[in-house]
Structures are given as C-alpha cells and as structure tokens.
Amino acid sequence: MIASSELILNPDGSVYHLHLKPENIAKDILFVGDQNRVEKITQHFEHIECTIQKREFKTQTGTYKGKRITVISTGIGPDNIDIVMNELDALVNIDLESRTIKRELTSLNIVRIGTSGSLQADIPVDSFVMSRYGLGLDNMLRSYQIDEISEKEIEEAFIYQTNWDLRKGRPYVVKGSDSLAALFTSDKIFEGFTGTAGGFYGPQGRVLRLPIQDIELNRRMDSFQFQGIRMTNLEMETGAIYGLGKLLGHECLSLNAIIANRATGTFSKDPYKTVDELIEYTLNRLAIA
C-alpha cells in the first residue's frame, strides 16, 4: 500500500494538486502551459462535461467530433510536469481507495501544444515543430531511474559537440512516441531535437544583469546534429514529459507553434493565429485516432 505521505489526496478523494478524480479525465489528453489557453481549445468542443481548477492547473474534459478529450494546463517548467504526469498516472493506474497499483495498467495519449522559438534560420515563424526527441537540460528526470529509456549515444554526442559543463548535470535524451508521431506527421511539420531548459533566462542563454556560465552555449546547441537530426527549438517541458511518459508507459508527443526565430531575430506578426491553427490541426488529427 502506498503511504498517505507519498500519494496525497484531498478530503474529497481527488489527487492533491490537480484536484481530479479518475472519472474526470479521458484517455486522450492535451497539455498547454497557460491556463488561459485551455478554453482556446475547448471552445471547439461540442460538449464540456467538467471544469476543475486548482492553482495553475486547469482541466476541462469534453467531446470533439465524438472523441472524449481532456485539456490540462501544466504551468511552466519540468517541476510542474513532474506533478502533472505523476498525478495523471495515479488517476488511471493506482486504486486511490486501497492505495495499491492496479494489475492492469492504462496507457494515456498525451500531446503537448506549446509555443516556442526556432533555433534554425530555415524553420520560419508561423510553422510547426514536432519533437522527435526531448533533450533535457533540467536535471529533474535524473531523480528517477532512467538508464533503460535514455539515448546514451546521443547524450554523449551532445556533451562532446557543445562542450557541456557536467557541473550543471548530465543532459538526458528521450524519444517521443512513434505511434503519435505517425499520426501528426505532415508536410508542414518540422522535426528534430527539442531542448528542455530548467529556466527561462540564464538556462536559455538570455542575459539581463547576470553573466551566464557559458555565453557560447546557444551557438553550439544550434549547430548540434546527430545522424542528420538537428536541434529545432528550446523550451521548458518536452524532455520531462517524454521521460516520465516513457517510464510510466504513456504515449507522449510535443508540438510547438513557432512564434519567434532566434537565428533571424524575427517574431510572428500574428502569433495567436499560428497557435489557433496548431490547435485545430491537433484536434482534427487526434479525432481520427
């Protein structure tokens, strides 16, 4: 039995942070970072059966073209992903009353819809990026036993090509879901490595008043390649989602609307339109799965 200090439940029996019960979620789940983006997705639904929010974690479950889908805002960063992924898994794979792991485990389909900046000049603003691999720079996943799921050869190549300082921790690489990637692949999708940083400013090479540890790191990351696969973008969630998803047995994929290009210094003239187009693209692909 899992102790109450490890699996914390609210007085109504819901999981602690998300405030959800098993009946509140579908098998197909969309992640967004911003709680205000949840309804930008669910406005397309024919029916919404529940709306639940605690802190930055807002959840709506409903129906789109006959498919039951849940949309959850995760907030920012790998620490929040640790909470969301573990509590979602608990909802489907742990009996919350007996606090025991179920004999038959359920695999969720989890797709992240995010925004990001491209690292490559030829990946323009207003395009979409699908993360074939999550490349984690955040260290959160190293709290778990990840040796069997991480791509060690790619990790070594990244460390060598970028002259990575291991005092910051060892980067990890985890592949996204092949089955979901096949569902979402199209001519308008760019694919590659998505870097997941543990912060927005220094960890992503931004300088305000504080000097950063390696001023050349972004340039070296931009040129990182492994067997023809390039770094495409840098954000704060994908690596953690892929790692925890693979450890827990869920299918995970990350899609990003590119609203900025850091290589060319350009920004989308209408980022909201780009995000809306990615939302509709994702919903329509998921509905036929």
Side-chain angles (χ1 to χ4, degrees):
M1 187 173 75
I2 301 171
S4 58
S5 60
E6 310 304 293
L7 175 60
I8 303 170
L9 302 178
N10 295 306
D12 65 354
S14 60
V15 290
Y16 184 64
H17 296 91
L18 301 184
H19 218 293
L20 298 173
K21 296 180 179 180
E23 61 267 26
N24 298 139
I25 66 168
K27 184 178 178 182
D28 295 288
I29 298 176
L30 298 178
F31 281 177
V32 294
D34 183 357
Q35 58 191 289
N36 294 322
R37 194 172 291 158
V38 171
E39 291 183 352
K40 287 186 178 294
I41 297 177
T42 60
Q43 68 179 344
H44 298 281
F45 286 12
E46 295 96 37
H47 170 70
I48 296 175
E49 64 185 68
C50 68
T51 300
I52 298 166
Q53 182 166 7
K54 183 177 181 182
R55 301 184 185 181
E56 65 266 50
F57 307 113
K58 181 173 183 176
T59 301
Q60 288 191 319
T61 295
T63 305
Y64 178 79
K65 293 185 177 180
K67 164 103 39 173
R68 190 169 183 252
I69 298 173
T70 294
V71 185
I72 299 178
S73 61
T74 65
I76 299 173
D79 50 344
N80 275 18
I81 296 301
D82 183 55
I83 291 171
V84 174
M85 291 293 292
N86 276 289
E87 291 193 3
L88 281 177
D89 182 76
L91 289 171
V92 295
N93 289 323
I94 295 175
D95 185 315
L96 300 184
E97 292 187 6
S98 66
R99 295 178 173 275
T100 57
I101 298 172
K102 295 179 180 179
R103 290 184 179 179
E104 293 188 12
L105 300 180
T106 296
S107 178
L108 300 170
N109 295 319
I110 298 171
V111 179
R112 177 179 184 267
I113 300 177
T115 57
S116 187
S118 168
L119 300 177
Q120 304 295 338
D122 63 339
I123 300 179
V125 296
D126 303 324
S127 62
F128 304 155
V129 162
M130 179 170 71
S131 309
R132 273 295 183 176
Y133 294 87
L135 197 161
L137 311 175
D138 56 278
N139 290 323
M140 184 279 291
L141 201 67
R142 291 287 177 191
S143 296
Y144 299 93
Q145 297 178 13
I146 67 170
D147 285 349
E148 292 186 2
I149 66 162
S150 64
E151 305 280 347
K152 296 178 183 60
E153 188 178 1
I154 304 177
E155 292 169 6
E156 291 291 345
F158 179 81
I159 290 168
Y160 174 76
Q161 290 183 38
T162 63
N163 193 28
W164 181 262
D165 189 338
L166 288 173
R167 291 177 299 176
K168 295 188 292 187
R170 182 183 174 86
Y172 61 87
V173 178
V174 181
K175 192 177 185 184
S177 165
D178 286 331
S179 60
L180 287 178
L183 179 65
F184 286 95
T185 296
S186 78
D187 292 340
K188 68 184 304 180
I189 298 282
F190 292 86
E191 301 179 14
F193 291 104
T194 292
T196 296
F200 183 77
Y201 289 97
Q204 294 191 37
R206 291 183 173 92
V207 178
L208 300 183
R209 288 205 313 119
L210 296 176
I212 59 175
Q213 181 268 334
D214 186 349
I215 196 69
E216 293 295 319
L217 178 60
N218 273 26
R219 180 186 59 79
R220 291 194 295 269
M221 284 201 301
D222 294 353
S223 61
F224 171 66
Q225 291 192 46
F226 184 84
Q227 296 181 355
I229 304 175
R230 303 178 298 167
M231 285 286 292
T232 52
N233 59 316
L234 187 61
E235 43 86 278
M236 296 178 64
E237 288 83 28
T238 294
I241 293 170
Y242 282 13
L244 288 172
K246 188 150 288 190
L247 288 171
L248 292 166
H250 304 299
E251 301 292 329
C252 299
L253 192 71
S254 181
L255 303 172
N256 274 278
I258 298 301
I259 61 172
N261 186 300
R262 295 186 70 178
T264 61
T266 54
F267 192 84
S268 173
K269 293 180 179 179
D270 192 351
Y272 298 107
K273 180 175 181 289
T274 304
V275 172
D276 287 342
E277 288 176 351
L278 179 57
I279 288 171
E280 292 188 36
Y281 178 84
T282 304
L283 285 173
N284 287 327
R285 288 293 174 121
L286 197 60
I288 63 174

